[in-house]
Amino acid sequence: FKGVMLTHSNILFTIKSAQVLTSVNIKDSILCILPLYHVFGLVCALLTPLSVAASVIFIEKLQGKLVLNALQKHRC
């Protein structure tokens, strides 16, 4: 096993950096296909959009048809 200690400050800094890099805003809908047990998925696909009140869309399985339907339906 290996792990990295993440602090609240680390996570907040990463969220703020992602906000600048992606220009995500309240009008956006983000399709979350990354695993939330990893910091990249947690911060980029969930916490950053939620920090600006954007919508986060989840699908049941990572299948092409489901991804395309979600992209179309939610205009991600």
Side-chain angles (χ1 to χ4, degrees):
F1 294 101
K2 70 179 194 180
V4 176
M5 182 64 71
L6 296 173
T7 66
H8 189 252
S9 295
N10 294 131
I11 294 172
L12 288 177
F13 178 81
T14 307
I15 291 169
K16 288 179 184 178
S17 298
Q19 287 172 344
V20 171
L21 291 172
T22 61
S23 301
V24 65
N25 64 59
I26 194 170
K27 297 177 185 177
D28 292 325
S29 292
I30 307 298
L31 178 60
C32 181
I33 60 170
L34 298 171
L36 297 179
Y37 58 79
H38 191 275
V39 69
F40 188 74
L42 181 66
V43 171
C44 293
L46 182 65
L47 297 178
T48 299
L50 291 179
S51 71
V52 295
S55 299
V56 179
I57 310 303
F58 294 94
I59 54 176
E60 190 175 325
K61 291 190 255 182
L62 188 56
Q63 290 181 339
K65 187 175 183 179
L66 294 175
V67 171
L68 291 175
N69 287 344
L71 290 172
Q72 242 179 358
K73 180 179 179 182
H74 301 286
R75 307 185 88 209
C76 300

